[in-house]
Amino acid sequence: MTFPFSKVVTVYEQLENVSSGNKMREILSVFFKIIPKEDLDKVVYLSTGSIASECEGINFGMAEKMVVKAISAATGKNEKELTTLFKKKGDLGLVAESIVGHAEGKLFVDEVFRILHEIAATSGAGSQEKKCVLLGTLLRKASPNEAKYIVRILLNKMRLGAGTMTILDSLSIAFTGTKANKPKLEHAYNICPDIGVIAHSLATKGLHGVEQISVMVGRPIKMMLASRIGQLKDINEKMPGTFAVEEKYDGERVQIHYDGKKIILYSRRLENITEQFPELVALAHKNLHAKSYVVEGEIVSVDQKGNLLPFQVLMQRRRKQDVEEYRKKVPVCLFLFDLLYLDGEQYLHKSYPERRSALKRITKKTENKFVLARQIVTDNIEETEEFFTSALAHGGEGIMVKSTALHSVYQTGTRGWLWIKWKKEYAQELSDTLDLVVVGAFMGRGRRSGSYGALLCAAYNDKKGVFETVCKLGSGFSDEQLVEFPGRFNKYVASHKPTRLVVHKSMQPDVWFDPVIIVEVLGAELTRSPVHTCCEEGGQGLALRFPRFLRYREDKSPEQVTTSKEIWQMYKEKVKRR
Ligand code: AMP
């Protein structure tokens, strides 16, 4: 028996009623301090609306209908009545709260946690019934507000607004007395993106314990990202001397872990995608010769002749069913470009040339479906431009320019200046592409009536942990894509503005969405705007003018969209050039 769940949900109720980040941090840091050390990781996971780190890919496998059944079984209330109530309230958590009868809950954190894990682990024949029974045991002991949060967690609708960064801040304040140690926690989180492990190490071993966290084969590492520049010639300023130039392949990033027995593939969102690419597992076994490793590369789809195909084609491989059929229909190849760990040794702190040469050493080229990314090392912009042109001709998106300096370490989860990307859109005057998260929509008129006419899109302010709007996106969609809007977006409709979204009061879309779907958008330019909140200063934000939809980015999570800081840099760059 450990910490009472009732105390946890009391804090969740407080969090629901605050919108200020500082207030959230204050509530959470006071709370984290009073939780017994053995329960802290569980409470932290629950606060993010889950029961494990994101990369575990926990899926409760319970649809709303099943949850209604379970509430009905636990309370004796008729299913039809519950469904009507659900339609009225729009939130099954609120339905459970209004039905479940105990004044006081009798649940403890470890019990809630254990049963939720059992629900997630139950699969196969008769699993739906078993899940219902398990949920029933929880609901029978729950108070109304405990029932509300249990149901919301199960349906993935927690929406407390406390993102990972807010939790790291709060842990830092709770256990080190200051927010100033947050960067140390964030650094550890980038190597070990498991908020429960970070919380547990900090509570039991202090900051020193957190600093000891290192690469573990089998546990994904947050991937290094690239910055962008305004003009190709700026590379010389950012990277004096020689640098490496590689093709920027138009596919999906993958991190491959091998512990001597098993190979695991992780996506950029740190999901386990091993099952989706059995041929890459086989190729890694055959072509990478080492006792253990963590390497990275880009998966690209190819046609029968070996020509590279765009990212959209590859997206057909994102499936759990019909893997064999699609493996033949959409063949892929892999271009390797980094090495993070080799034979018991961490390589994150080594320079890029060292990492690349170790990668080269262990890669046996037996066929051209599994090779190193094409690279030149130069200090010359003209040569870089020529390489860029040839990369585009080869079907690439552009180039990646990488520092080869002594300090060119692998910066986990960071967008720094050691990697610079240069894409074909940047080469056009006044054109920029942004990855943005869709947070709302305006109903369409005329040809688009009955569907959405424009999507409200936001960037991510990683300092504040909030989303800030930057444009209304209405063009660039094909007729098929417009027809498909409701099917794609309606499951994310939210009853009110997402907690972590900052919008101007005049910006009132017809519907709000939970920030889930990411779009890549090409825009003409960035300008000052009084109605968008991105980089807002003195009542003026930044807006992307004439945005055009390019594609959906299913490989990115909402926190991986273009940051407000990047948009600010792009804007400054443009102003400088005018
Ligand atoms: P972006 O998604 O536009 O921020 O660009 C960064 C992405 O480019 C990485 O996450 C990789 O998926 C991809 N990429 C393609 N080729 C390379 C390469 N040679 N080196 C590093 N990243 C690459």
Side-chain angles (χ1 to χ4, degrees):
M1 211 187 277
T2 53
F3 198 67
F5 190 52
S6 59
K7 291 200 178 164
V8 178
V9 298
T10 306
V11 171
Y12 291 169
E13 290 203 310
Q14 285 174 22
L15 288 177
E16 245 188 275
N17 293 319
V18 297
S19 53
S20 135
N22 281 341
K23 189 78 200 151
M24 269 188 196
R25 283 178 204 102
E26 195 186 309
I27 296 173
L28 280 172
S29 56
V30 172
F31 178 50
F32 287 159
K33 265 203 276 201
I34 60 161
I35 298 168
K37 290 189 172 63
E38 70 272 20
D39 275 338
L40 184 64
D41 53 351
K42 302 182 190 81
V43 173
V44 164
Y45 289 133
L46 292 171
S47 310
T48 64
S50 186
I51 51 169
S53 86
E54 238 180 281
C55 39
E56 301 279 326
I58 293 281
N59 181 357
F60 291 107
M62 281 190 91
E64 283 157 350
K65 254 196 179 153
M66 289 313 290
V67 175
V68 168
K69 260 196 173 63
I71 302 176
S72 160
T75 58
K77 285 273 181 314
N78 171 299
E79 274 182 49
K80 250 194 178 158
E81 251 177 68
L82 292 176
T83 311
T84 314
L85 202 55
F86 176 33
K87 279 202 184 122
K88 211 168 107 198
K89 292 187 184 277
D91 175 353
L92 262 183
L94 293 179
V95 173
E97 185 180 34
S98 66
I99 299 293
V100 168
H102 302 283
E104 266 181 53
K106 301 186 190 75
L107 290 167
F108 288 86
V109 165
D110 56 352
E111 184 182 14
V112 174
F113 200 74
R114 180 175 47 77
I115 297 183
L116 287 177
H117 263 285
E118 276 180 50
I119 294 178
T122 306
S123 62
S127 61
Q128 287 296 326
E129 288 70 28
K130 282 185 215 152
K131 285 177 196 274
C132 273
V133 172
L134 286 165
L135 176 54
T137 51
L138 277 179
L139 293 180
R140 274 191 205 93
K141 288 188 181 177
S143 67
N145 57 354
E146 287 176 337
K148 172 173 72 180
Y149 290 108
I150 289 171
V151 165
R152 284 188 182 165
I153 291 171
L154 268 176
L155 292 173
N156 225 340
K157 302 244 170 189
M158 192 61 166
R159 298 179 193 146
L160 281 186
T164 310
M165 290 306 129
T166 309
I167 293 189
L168 289 178
D169 275 337
S170 314
L171 286 168
S172 176
I173 300 168
F175 296 98
T176 75
T178 163
K179 217 170 91 172
N181 286 315
K182 196 282 203 93
K184 290 186 179 155
L185 303 194
E186 198 178 341
H187 179 73
Y189 180 76
N190 284 338
I191 298 174
C192 161
D194 186 328
I195 195 94
V197 173
I198 306 288
H200 185 76
S201 306
L202 186 63
T204 54
K205 298 185 212 134
L207 212 47
H208 177 70
V210 172
E211 281 166 340
Q212 296 297 307
I213 290 175
S214 62
V215 171
M216 199 171 99
V217 182
R219 183 171 67 193
I221 300 160
K222 279 213 159 191
M223 300 183 191
M224 177 165 176
L225 302 167
S227 294
R228 58 179 102 198
I229 39 173
Q231 307 172 75
L232 200 53
K233 67 177 167 53
D234 294 347
I235 288 172
N236 284 139
E237 189 190 309
K238 298 284 179 199
M239 290 179 195
T242 58
F243 42 81
V245 186
E246 290 172 10
E247 265 190 62
K248 184 176 192 311
Y249 300 98
D250 190 13
E252 178 173 10
R253 176 98 162 248
V254 67
Q255 196 174 80
I256 309 179
H257 289 241
Y258 176 61
D259 62 1
K261 290 191 194 98
K262 206 168 75 178
I263 284 178
I264 307 180
L265 309 183
Y266 287 107
S267 72
R268 175 160 169 175
R269 299 184 66 160
L270 312 184
E271 300 151 322
N272 184 329
I273 52 167
T274 317
E275 309 262 292
Q276 287 167 36
F277 296 102
E279 72 271 51
L280 291 181
V281 173
L283 283 170
H285 272 300
K286 203 161 117 194
N287 292 11
L288 291 174
H289 292 202
K291 291 194 197 86
S292 59
Y293 56 75
V294 178
V295 297
E296 277 188 10
E298 187 88 350
I299 308 174
V300 187
S301 73
V302 282
D303 66 13
Q304 300 303 340
K305 290 188 194 135
N307 297 315
L308 304 185
L309 300 174
F311 169 81
Q312 284 90 331
V313 178
L314 178 69
M315 280 302 101
Q316 297 177 57
R317 291 289 300 263
R318 284 200 152 251
R319 54 178 61 247
K320 295 206 167 81
Q321 268 96 40
D322 308 324
V323 171
E324 260 316 301
E325 183 190 338
Y326 275 82
R327 173 184 171 166
K328 289 188 196 111
K329 258 194 200 166
V330 185
V332 298
C333 65
L334 185 92
F335 294 97
L336 292 161
F337 53 72
D338 219 318
L339 179 141
L340 283 53
Y341 181 94
L342 178 62
D343 293 339
E345 195 184 348
Q346 189 165 297
Y347 269 59
L348 299 177
H349 308 296
K350 297 191 191 266
S351 72
Y352 185 50
E354 272 180 275
R355 303 199 306 276
R356 170 102 182 184
S357 80
L359 179 64
K360 194 168 170 197
R361 209 170 55 239
I362 67 163
T363 309
K364 303 286 172 260
K365 192 183 165 203
T366 52
E367 48 196 307
N368 53 13
K369 286 208 149 182
F370 201 90
V371 291
L372 292 186
R374 197 158 71 90
Q375 184 193 73
I376 56 165
V377 175
T378 179
D379 60 359
N380 184 296
I381 294 299
E382 266 158 40
E383 219 181 306
T384 306
E385 236 167 343
E386 266 167 39
F387 190 88
F388 171 70
T389 314
S390 76
L392 294 191
H394 187 216
E397 253 197 311
I399 50 173
M400 293 292 276
V401 182
K402 300 183 179 178
S403 167
T404 53
L406 271 179
H407 66 275
S408 59
V409 297
Y410 186 95
Q411 295 177 308
T412 52
T414 305
R415 196 182 291 284
W417 289 109
L418 295 177
W419 282 13
I420 290 173
K421 57 186 175 184
W422 181 254
K423 300 209 266 190
K424 56 178 174 277
E425 291 84 10
Y426 306 171
Q428 299 158 18
E429 193 58 20
L430 290 179
S431 291
D432 274 308
T433 68
L434 306 181
D435 295 323
L436 301 171
V437 62
V438 181
V439 292
F442 299 84
M443 296 314 289
R445 296 208 195 98
R447 202 162 61 92
R448 294 188 183 183
S449 66
S451 181
Y452 302 122
L455 307 174
L456 181 61
C457 300
Y460 183 54
N461 183 325
D462 57 345
K463 282 282 150 295
K464 297 186 182 158
V466 295
F467 296 98
E468 300 174 337
T469 71
V470 69
C471 68
K472 271 163 74 171
L473 174 65
S475 55
F477 296 103
S478 67
D479 286 348
E480 292 84 59
Q481 282 165 336
L482 290 173
V483 170
E484 193 215 64
F485 268 177
R488 184 178 285 268
F489 285 97
N490 285 0
K491 44 185 177 288
Y492 303 113
V493 169
S495 49
H496 36 251
K497 180 184 85 60
T499 349
R500 283 199 289 157
L501 175 68
V502 185
V503 277
H504 187 266
K505 60 181 182 312
S506 69
M507 187 61 77
Q508 286 299 328
D510 297 307
V511 285
W512 294 111
F513 297 130
D514 283 333
V516 178
I517 296 185
I518 320 292
V519 284
E520 185 173 340
V521 181
L522 176 69
E525 64 175 328
L526 289 161
T527 54
R528 282 288 188 190
S529 151
V531 295
H532 285 290
T533 51
C534 178
C535 308
E536 193 174 341
E537 219 181 59
Q540 293 274 327
L542 286 180
L544 184 70
R545 291 185 68 209
F546 309 120
R548 278 185 71 75
F549 170 82
L550 289 181
R551 58 189 180 175
Y552 291 107
R553 292 294 307 246
E554 277 137 13
D555 59 327
K556 287 198 172 180
S557 66
E559 274 92 4
Q560 290 172 339
V561 298
T562 306
T563 60
S564 304
K565 186 171 156 214
E566 279 182 275
I567 294 180
W568 179 247
Q569 276 165 352
M570 286 157 65
Y571 175 69
K572 264 195 341 206
E573 198 52 57
K574 292 279 147 70
V575 172
K576 202 167 83 189
R577 280 202 273 154
R578 260 179 226 142

